[in-house]
Amino acid sequence: MSLSRFLVKRSLQGLFVIWGVITVVFGLRFISPGDPANVLLPPDVDPEVRAEVIAELGLNEPLYVQYWDFISGIPLGDLGFSLVTRTPVAARVLAKLPATLELAIAATIVAIVIAIPLGVISATRRHQPADYGATVFSLVGISTPNFWLGVMLIIVLAVQFDLFPTSQRPIGVDGIVLLFVSGSLGEAVDGLTTWLWHITLPAITLGTYFTALITRLTRSGMLDQLGQTYVRASRAKGLPETLVRYKHALRNTLIPVITVIGLQLGTLIGGAVITEAVFAWPGLGTLIINSINARDWPVLQGSLIVVAVGFVLVNILVDALYAYVNPQVAYD
Amino acid sequence: MADPILKIRDLSTSFFTEEGKVNAVDSVTFDVEDGEIFGIVGESGSGKSVTALSVIDLIDSPGRVTGGEVWYRNADLAEEFRGSRPEAVDGDFVDVRRLPKGVRRSLRGPSFSMIFQDAMSSFNPSITVGEQIAEAVEVQRRARANPRRTRSRTQGYGLGSAILDTFLPNRDYVSNESMDRAVELLDQVGIPDPEDRAEEYPHQFSGGMLQRAMIAQALAGEPDILVADEPTTALDVTIQAQILNLLRDLQEQEGMSILMITHNLGVIARMCDRVGVMYAGEIVERGPLGDIFENPVHPYTQGLLGSVPDIDDPSDRLEPITGNVPSLLESEMPDACYFADRCPKAMTDCMTRIPEYDLDGRHSVRCVLAEREYDEADALEQEVMADD
Amino acid sequence: MISERTLRNLRRELRRSLLAKIGIAVVVFILLMAVFAPFISPYSPGKQNLDEARLPPLGFSTAETKEVTKMENGSVVIEGGEVVTEERTVYTNATAAHPLGTDGNGRDILSRVIYGARTSILVGIFGTSLAALIGVLVGLTAGYYRGRVDDVLMRSADIMLAFPSLVLAIALVGVWGQAQAPIPDPFVVTGLAPAFRSALGFTTGMPDTVVLPGTVIVVVALVNWVWFARVARGEALSIREEEYVKAARALGASDGWTVLRHVLPNAITPILVLATIQVAAIILLESALSFLGFSGADVSWGFDIALGRQYQSTAWWISTIPGLAIVITVVGLNLVGDWLRDALDPGIEGEGGV
Ligand SMILES: Nc1ncnc2c1ncn2[C@@H]1O[C@H](COP(=O)(O)OP(=O)(O)O)[C@@H](O)[C@H]1O
Ligand code: SF4
Ligand SMILES: [Mg+2]
C-alpha cells in the first residue's frame, strides 16, 4: 500500500473514532444525576420558569433532535453555550488551549532533550554508575505521581529557596509573539524570561514521567539494536563508533520510541490537567476541573471533545511520521 | 610457496557469563597465506564464529580476547611501530593486538573485513543498501584524505558531526563519489540494475542478492583478508553455489585472502587450500586440504569425513559422532582431551591435556594417535551416552 | 495454567535480581499494612487534636525566633498606646507519639498513611479486577470470533483510547458523583482488633468501617479495561489457530467451553503481568482523583497531599509523607511487574502513570 492510501485509510478510521468520541461525550450528560436546569435555577423556582428554561436549552426535544443539534454544530466549531456564563464554549476552550499546549510542548521538549541522551549513555555504559543512576531515575520517575512532584518542587524550589514562582502564567507565548511583532523588543525579551521562569517548574513536573519513560525505552531499544548483527557489520566495515551508534542504532531505536511517545500523548494531556491544578496554570485542565465543580456540562463536553479529537489527530500524524521514517512498515 | 599474510598464535577468547567463564576459543594457532582460502570447519558451537570475531577484534562484552597474538603482515605498519612499540613488530609483521586501539580500528575495512551468515540482519533495515555500501567506501575515502584523524578515538567523526548530519538536510556522511563507487561494487558482485537496486532497502532484496550486496560492502575497503562466517548457510543450494563461485572469482581478481568459516565440509572441499578442524574451542587438526581429506589423523576429523555432507543435499546438518559439543564452561572442561568422551579410540593416555603434534611441517594434530598406534588394551571404558 | 517451567523461570529471575526481591518485599509490606491497619495503626486516622497540629516528624524539630505580642497575665501589654512585642524562640518539637508528625488538624500522619494504604490497595485490586474482567471478556470475544464482532469491539476500544485516561476519569467521576459503600471492618466488628489493642495498651476507637470508593473503582475500570482487551484479543487470535483448539471445536465443543478451557488458560500469563502494572497505574490514578478532590475518599494518600498544600510553607511533611508512600508502593509494584515481565516475557505494553 502506498503512503497516501495508508493516510487516507488512517484518516477514515480517525474520523470514525472522532464520531465515537462525540457520541460518548453526548451520552455523558445522561449519567449525571441532576438535570442541567438545576445548575441555572434555584431549587424552589416556579415550575413554569423551569419549563421555560428547559425549552430554551432544547432539553424537551426528542433525543435524536438533541443529538443532531449537538453533533451538527461541531464541524462548524459550535460546541454550545456555557450554562454558567452563557458564552460560546468554543471561544472559552480556544482561549485556554495555548496555555495547555505550551505546557505540553515544553514538557515534551524537556523529556526528549534529557531522556534520549540519558538512555543512550545508559545503554552504552552498561553496568557502570551512569547506567545504574539512569535506571533508578527512570524507575522512580515512572512511579512518581506528578502532582506530588509538583508540590515537592514548590516546597523546595519556590518556598524554601525562592528560585521560582509558585504558580501562574503572567504571559504566554502568544503574548510574547505579539510584543515581538509590535516591535517592543525589550519587552518581548522580558516577557520571554518571565515565561521561562514561570513554566520551568510545571514543565519539569509534567515532563518527568515522560523523561523516565523515554529513558527506559531508549535504553532498552539501544541495547537491543547494539546487539544486532548489522551493528557488528557496520563496525566490521570500519565505520566510526559515533556513526554506528547515532546514525544506525539510535535511529532504529527511535522509530518505535516515536510510536510510544504518540501513544502516551494521552497521558501527557491527563498529566497536564493535574499539573495545571497544582500550579494554577490557566489551561484546559483548569477549565475542565472548574466546569465539573460548577456542573457546567457543555464546557466539560466541549473540552473533552477538543482534547480527544486533538489526540486522535496527533496519533494520525505520528503514524504518518512512523511510516515515513520506517521504510519497512507495511501500513496495515 | 606464498608467505603468510596472517599468523594467529595461541589466540584465546572467553565469555564471562553468569554461569561462569566460557572458553569459546582456546589457544588457537593457524596461518593464512597470501591469496589463499583457509577454511575452519566444525560443528555448531565449536567456536568458529568467535574465532572469526576475535581475529577482526569485534568481540563484545561479556567476551574478551584473553591471550595470543594476531600477526599481520604489513611493511608500512611494521616500519611505523618498530621504534615506538618494538614488542608489536617482528620483521614485516605487526601484532595487531598490541597496536593502539585507533590503529586497530582503522584496519577494519582496508585490512580486514567480514561477511556474515544472515545478510538480512547484517544490513540496517532502515537505510538503503547503496548508502550502506557507500558508507564503507566513504570511510576509506576519508581515511586516505586524513590518515591521522582516522586513527583518533572518534575517527574524525564526533558527536557534533553526527548531530549536524542528522539535522541538516544538506549534510550527509556519504559523498556522491562514494555512492557511485557503491553502484560499481554492486555491479562487480553481479547485481543487475545496480543503480536502481542501490536505492532499495534490504527487505526489497532476495536472500542471494543481499548476500552479494554484503560481499560488495565487505570489498569496499579492498581488504587483504576477508573473513567469511558461514556465508552460504542461510541460502538454498543453487544460490549457495553461485555465491561460492563469486567469492572465488573475487578472491582471484582482488588477490585477497579469505578465512572461510563453515560447518559444511562440502564448502571446504570446494573452496579451500588449507583447513583447520575445530572442536570445543580448539583447532584439533590442520593442514593442506588434501592431507586432511585423504589422511586424517584425529578421530574427530575422521568422524566428520565419514559423513561428508553433499553440498547438493539440503539437509547438510553435520552430526558425525554421537554426543554433543561440550558446554565449554571452564569449570566443566575435563583435564583430558576434550573429545575423549565421544572418541571411539580414547585411551588412558588421553586423560591429560594433549599438545599439538607436528606431523610434517604442514600437517599438525592435537591427538595422541599422532605419536602412537591405537591399542585396544589401553582403551577407556566408554559409557555410551544416550542423552540427546 | 501456570506451568512448572514458568515457575522455574520466575524463581531463577528472582534469584538473579535484587530489584525483584526489593519489589516483592515492598508490595508484601504494603499489603500487610493495609490488611492489618486496625491492629498496627497508632490512632484512628480521623482522630483530631488541634493542640497537637502540625507537629514535625521525628528528627525534624525546629526552633525559630519569632516576634510575638507580649502577654502578661493573659492580656496584651500596651505601653504608650502601642502593643508591645518581644522576641521569643518558638519550638516545634517532634514527639515519639507521632513519629511521622501530625497534619493541620492534629491527626497522626502515620495512622493516615497506614489507613490510606487500604484505600489505594482496595481501588488498585478491585479496579484492576473489574478492568480485567471487562477487558478479558471483550478481548477474548473479539479475538475468538474475529470478523465483524472484532471490528465493532476493537473500534469501541479505540474510542476509549482517544480519551486521556485521567481526563476521562475526572469527567466520569465529576459527572457521576461519588458513591461510596462503607463496609464493616471485619477485625473491628468481630472485636479482634479492639481486644488486641487494649491488651497492648494502644488507643482504641478505630473506625469500624472501611469506605469502598465505589464510583472510583468503576471509573478506573471503565478507563483501563482497554489494555486488557488488547492483550486478551492478541492471545485469543493466536491461540485459536492452534491445532488442539481447532480439534476441540471440530469435536463440537461449545464456544464458551473452548474459550474457558483452552484459550483463557493460555492467555493468563500476559494478563497477570499486565494486571501487576495496572494495579500501579490505577493506584496512581486513584491518588490523582483524590488529590483533585473527586474521589470523595477522606482517608487517601492523594487527598492528604492536597490537604497539606495549605501548609506548604510551614509544614512540608503533611504533603510529603503520603506522596512518599505512593512512590514506594508504585516502585514496588513496578519492580514486581518488571520481574514478571523478564521472567515470563509476554511481550506486552501497558499505560503507566499520572
Ligand atoms: N555472547 C556470548 N556469550 C556467552 N557465550 C558465548 C557468546 N557467544 C558465543 N559463546 C560461546 O562460544 C561458543 C562457541 O560459539 P560460536 O563461535 O558461535 O560457535 P560456532 O560459530 O562454531 O557455531 C558457544 O558454544 C557459546 O558457549
Ligand atoms: S587424544 Fe585420545 S581421546 Fe582425544 S581424539 Fe585422540 S584418541 Fe581420541
Ligand atoms: Mg557460528
Side-chain angles (χ1 to χ4, degrees):
Chain A
M1 210 193 293
S2 71
L3 185 60
S4 55
R5 275 196 55 194
F6 166 73
L7 285 180
V8 168
K9 188 177 151 208
R10 193 67 190 72
S11 306
L12 286 178
Q13 273 176 7
L15 224 52
F16 170 80
V17 172
I18 288 172
W19 166 79
V21 161
I22 294 172
T23 305
V24 168
V25 169
F26 175 74
L28 211 55
R29 211 187 73 210
F30 299 98
I31 66 166
S32 157
D35 76 72
N38 288 345
V39 177
L40 301 174
L41 303 167
D44 54 352
V45 78
D46 184 0
E48 262 174 50
V49 179
R50 190 185 173 81
E52 227 171 84
V53 170
I54 287 181
E56 195 190 313
L57 291 174
L59 295 175
N60 55 351
E61 303 276 354
L63 203 56
Y64 65 90
V65 176
Q66 290 189 35
Y67 179 61
W68 176 248
D69 283 348
F70 184 78
I71 203 169
S72 60
I74 289 172
L76 307 171
D78 174 10
L79 296 172
F81 287 86
S82 157
L83 293 178
V84 178
T85 64
R86 301 299 186 105
T87 48
V89 170
R92 294 192 60 189
V93 172
L94 227 53
K96 300 293 184 186
L97 204 52
T100 300
L101 286 182
E102 267 170 27
L103 187 54
I105 292 171
T108 311
I109 292 174
V110 168
I112 290 176
V113 166
I114 297 174
I116 290 176
L118 199 59
V120 170
I121 290 171
S122 186
T124 50
R125 304 208 189 349
R126 215 179 162 188
H127 301 314
Q128 291 175 25
D131 182 23
Y132 292 127
T135 308
V136 169
F137 162 75
S138 55
L139 177 66
V140 175
I142 59 170
S143 308
T144 303
N146 65 6
F147 57 88
W148 180 72
L149 177 68
V151 173
M152 292 300 108
L153 290 175
I154 289 177
I155 288 179
V156 178
L157 296 181
V159 175
Q160 294 296 327
F161 293 100
D162 204 15
L163 294 173
F164 292 96
T166 53
S167 57
Q168 255 113 48
R169 173 178 176 263
I171 188 167
V173 171
D174 41 351
I176 298 170
V177 171
L178 223 62
L179 284 175
F180 190 76
V181 172
S182 68
S184 24
L185 210 60
E187 283 173 46
V189 172
D190 280 352
L192 190 64
T193 340
T194 313
W195 179 80
L196 277 175
W197 192 47
H198 279 82
I199 206 172
T200 306
L201 293 188
I204 295 175
T205 300
L206 180 54
T208 297
Y209 171 77
F210 292 92
T211 314
L213 184 75
I214 300 172
T215 304
R216 212 172 199 210
L217 292 172
T218 308
R219 175 178 185 272
S220 63
M222 267 308 261
L223 283 177
D224 181 38
Q225 293 297 326
L226 288 174
Q228 301 283 320
T229 316
Y230 78 80
V231 164
R232 187 168 264 173
S234 303
R235 290 181 182 143
K237 71 190 181 190
L239 291 195
E241 189 61 22
T242 327
L243 197 71
V244 176
R245 279 185 196 168
Y246 300 104
K247 177 170 175 186
H248 288 271
L250 181 59
R251 270 192 218 180
N252 286 339
T253 302
L254 291 184
I255 290 171
V257 169
I258 291 174
T259 349
V260 177
I261 294 177
L263 272 174
Q264 291 285 336
L265 283 177
T267 321
L268 185 73
I269 300 294
V273 169
I274 199 161
T275 306
E276 289 177 8
V278 174
F279 289 93
W281 193 259
L284 262 190
T286 308
L287 186 67
I288 288 176
I289 290 170
N290 290 342
S291 67
I292 290 174
N293 287 331
R295 320 213 135 247
D296 194 350
W297 301 152
V299 174
L300 174 64
Q301 289 174 315
S303 314
L304 282 179
I305 290 176
V306 168
V307 166
V309 169
F311 183 41
V312 172
L313 294 180
V314 169
N315 262 324
I316 295 178
L317 270 180
V318 169
D319 281 356
L321 186 64
Y322 183 77
Y324 176 73
V325 293
N326 185 5
Q328 259 183 313
V329 75
Y331 305 130
D332 58 7
Chain B
M1 195 213 226
D3 274 336
I5 181 88
L6 193 63
K7 296 192 289 189
I8 309 292
R9 294 290 174 270
D10 295 321
L11 193 63
S12 296
T13 299
S14 299
F15 289 88
F16 299 86
T17 69
E18 282 175 29
E19 284 80 32
K21 186 178 174 202
V22 175
N23 294 333
V25 172
D26 196 348
S27 283
V28 158
T29 293
F30 62 88
D31 293 349
V32 178
E33 278 162 16
D34 227 355
E36 82 162 344
I37 302 185
F38 183 85
I40 294 184
V41 68
E43 281 166 284
S44 170
S46 54
K48 306 181 300 292
S49 295
V50 177
T51 306
L53 292 168
S54 305
V55 168
I56 88 163
D57 192 17
L58 280 179
I59 294 290
D60 286 330
S61 151
R64 191 157 48 81
V65 179
T66 51
E69 292 132 43
V70 177
W71 294 102
Y72 163 55
R73 200 188 71 213
N74 185 314
D76 295 340
L77 280 178
E79 206 45 57
E80 184 181 343
F81 287 99
R82 206 178 301 281
S84 55
R85 300 201 177 206
E87 75 282 4
V89 178
D90 178 15
D92 273 355
F93 285 86
V94 283
D95 177 9
V96 176
R97 291 200 55 229
R98 291 195 196 136
L99 294 181
K101 207 166 177 196
V103 177
R104 248 150 61 196
R105 217 161 18 203
S106 71
L107 295 182
R108 297 203 289 259
S111 301
F112 304 92
S113 195
M114 182 157 177
I115 58 179
F116 300 86
Q117 172 170 341
D118 179 10
M120 194 58 84
S121 64
S122 305
F123 277 103
N124 183 336
S126 55
I127 298 181
T128 61
V129 170
E131 181 171 349
Q132 295 188 60
I133 297 172
E135 284 175 350
V137 179
E138 183 70 24
V139 197
Q140 302 318 323
R141 216 178 63 88
R142 293 186 183 213
R144 281 191 298 276
N146 199 336
R148 289 253 148 257
R149 278 181 82 186
T150 307
R151 287 180 179 186
S152 72
R153 197 178 61 82
T154 58
Q155 288 168 268
Y157 189 85
L159 194 54
S161 321
I163 292 174
L164 290 180
D165 284 0
T166 306
F167 291 107
L168 298 186
N170 58 342
R171 277 191 52 133
D172 201 351
Y173 180 75
V174 166
S175 64
N176 287 336
E177 301 91 88
S178 300
M179 266 322 265
D180 294 344
R181 173 76 185 131
V183 173
E184 276 174 40
L185 283 163
L186 283 173
D187 193 33
Q188 195 187 352
V189 296
I191 292 186
D193 303 325
E195 260 132 50
D196 297 338
R197 307 294 326 240
E199 303 290 322
E200 291 181 5
Y201 290 92
H203 70 275
Q204 294 167 294
F205 278 65
S206 68
M209 281 299 148
L210 205 55
Q211 200 72 24
R212 287 173 188 265
M214 182 160 60
I215 293 169
Q217 173 172 276
L219 293 179
E222 295 169 11
D224 293 340
I225 296 144
L226 177 67
V227 181
D229 186 5
E230 310 264 12
T232 60
T233 306
L235 305 171
D236 63 44
V237 272
T238 42
I239 314 276
Q240 277 195 27
Q242 289 170 12
I243 297 289
L244 291 177
N245 286 338
L246 173 70
L247 277 173
R248 216 197 172 119
D249 293 347
L250 288 170
Q251 183 252 329
E252 273 158 22
Q253 281 166 30
E254 307 281 320
M256 63 184 173
S257 308
I258 296 183
L259 177 58
M260 171 72 82
I261 305 241
T262 177
H263 67 272
N264 184 327
L265 275 168
V267 171
I268 295 282
R270 178 175 181 144
M271 301 287 287
C272 298
D273 304 299
R274 290 179 321 120
V275 56
V277 179
M278 205 155 178
Y279 184 81
E282 294 180 327
I283 291 206
V284 291
E285 182 159 15
R286 116 186 106 83
L289 185 74
D291 289 9
I292 298 289
F293 270 58
E294 274 141 39
N295 188 18
V297 175
H298 200 286
Y300 180 67
T301 316
Q302 291 167 354
L304 277 183
L305 290 165
S307 59
V308 180
D310 191 341
I311 187 174
D312 297 322
D313 176 5
S315 63
D316 57 359
R317 276 183 51 96
L318 200 74
E319 200 69 57
I321 307 127
T322 53
N324 293 317
V325 183
S327 75
L328 306 188
L329 252 174
E330 189 175 70
S331 55
E332 290 175 12
M333 294 307 278
D335 215 3
C337 169
Y338 292 159
F339 189 55
D341 60 348
R342 293 168 76 186
C343 180
K345 297 185 181 166
M347 297 173 287
T348 43
D349 281 10
C350 309
M351 289 294 97
T352 156
R353 296 298 296 121
I354 315 290
E356 198 168 47
Y357 297 97
D358 192 355
L359 297 183
D360 58 3
R362 297 185 308 161
H363 186 171
S364 69
V365 65
R366 210 180 260 277
C367 172
V368 291
L369 294 177
E371 283 209 319
R372 55 168 290 183
E373 290 289 298
Y374 176 59
D375 177 352
E376 213 148 314
D378 277 353
L380 271 180
E381 287 288 320
Q382 287 276 349
E383 322 129 55
V384 178
M385 290 178 298
D387 63 342
D388 59 342
Chain C
M1 295 260 283
I2 294 175
S3 69
E4 195 46 43
R5 199 173 63 88
T6 311
L7 289 177
R8 216 174 34 236
N9 284 344
L10 283 172
R11 272 197 297 271
R12 200 191 52 207
E13 195 60 39
L14 182 61
R15 226 179 303 120
R16 231 177 9 203
S17 159
L18 174 66
L19 288 178
K21 290 187 195 104
I22 295 176
I24 290 177
V26 168
V27 170
V28 168
F29 179 76
I30 301 284
L31 272 176
L32 290 177
M33 192 163 102
V35 171
F36 296 110
F39 294 96
I40 54 175
S41 170
Y43 306 91
S44 165
K47 184 167 172 276
Q48 302 193 358
N49 181 354
L50 292 177
D51 294 339
E52 293 195 330
R54 273 164 284 147
L55 295 183
L58 281 182
F60 291 95
S61 301
T62 55
E64 99 193 272
T65 319
K66 267 192 186 161
E67 192 156 87
V68 295
T69 7
K70 192 169 172 182
M71 310 277 278
E72 244 164 45
N73 302 327
S75 54
V76 178
V77 180
I78 300 177
E79 268 170 28
E82 297 255 323
V83 177
V84 180
T85 59
E86 62 181 358
E87 300 258 302
R88 208 186 281 156
T89 312
V90 181
Y91 296 96
T92 351
N93 277 334
T95 144
H98 300 286
L100 295 184
T102 57
D103 72 2
N105 295 324
R107 292 175 297 192
D108 180 50
I109 292 182
L110 176 60
S111 305
R112 292 187 69 78
V113 165
I114 291 174
Y115 266 89
R118 287 192 147 187
T119 308
S120 291
I121 297 288
L122 277 178
V123 175
I125 291 179
F126 284 118
T128 306
S129 311
L130 192 56
L133 191 72
I134 305 173
V136 168
L137 225 75
V138 170
L140 288 183
T141 313
Y144 188 77
Y145 290 107
R146 300 193 295 193
R148 182 133 308 165
V149 179
D150 186 23
D151 278 347
V152 170
L153 290 176
M154 284 299 122
R155 286 294 90 77
S156 41
D158 284 349
I159 293 170
M160 295 305 290
L161 280 179
F163 294 100
S165 54
L166 180 64
V167 177
L168 186 59
I170 291 174
L172 284 174
V173 182
V175 173
W176 219 334
Q178 303 151 351
Q180 348 198 359
I183 47 174
D185 182 329
F187 295 127
V188 179
V189 179
T190 56
L192 220 58
F196 174 81
R197 297 186 71 95
S198 42
L200 290 181
F202 288 1
T203 59
T204 48
M206 307 311 276
D208 52 10
T209 54
V210 187
V211 177
L212 194 70
T215 315
V216 173
I217 289 176
V218 173
V219 163
V220 295
L222 283 182
V223 166
N224 279 6
W225 62 269
V226 181
W227 302 104
F228 287 96
R230 289 193 151 188
V231 169
R233 172 179 175 268
E235 294 294 318
L237 276 178
S238 63
I239 295 166
R240 67 165 270 147
E241 297 306 323
E242 299 280 340
E243 287 307 320
Y244 63 88
V245 176
K246 284 185 182 162
R249 299 180 58 194
L251 290 174
S254 75
D255 288 345
W257 173 252
T258 315
V259 170
L260 271 187
R261 181 76 188 74
H262 298 292
V263 180
L264 187 58
N266 279 292
I268 217 86
T269 310
I271 291 171
L272 261 179
V273 179
L274 178 62
T276 318
I277 309 168
Q278 281 293 317
V279 173
I282 285 179
I283 285 178
L284 285 173
L285 193 55
E286 188 278 333
S287 71
L289 290 172
S290 299
F291 176 77
L292 294 174
F294 285 133
S295 82
D298 57 358
V299 186
S300 159
W301 294 335
F303 184 62
D304 284 3
I305 295 173
L307 285 185
R309 286 212 65 194
Q310 51 179 308
Y311 306 107
Q312 66 190 18
S313 53
T314 53
W316 53 265
W317 55 91
I318 303 179
S319 287
T320 305
I321 290 170
L324 284 176
I326 301 177
V327 174
I328 291 170
T329 307
V330 176
V331 164
L333 284 164
N334 278 329
L335 288 176
V336 173
D338 285 350
W339 164 55
L340 294 177
R341 191 167 24 197
D342 290 346
L344 310 176
D345 188 28
I348 55 162
E349 294 160 23
E351 184 174 349
V354 172

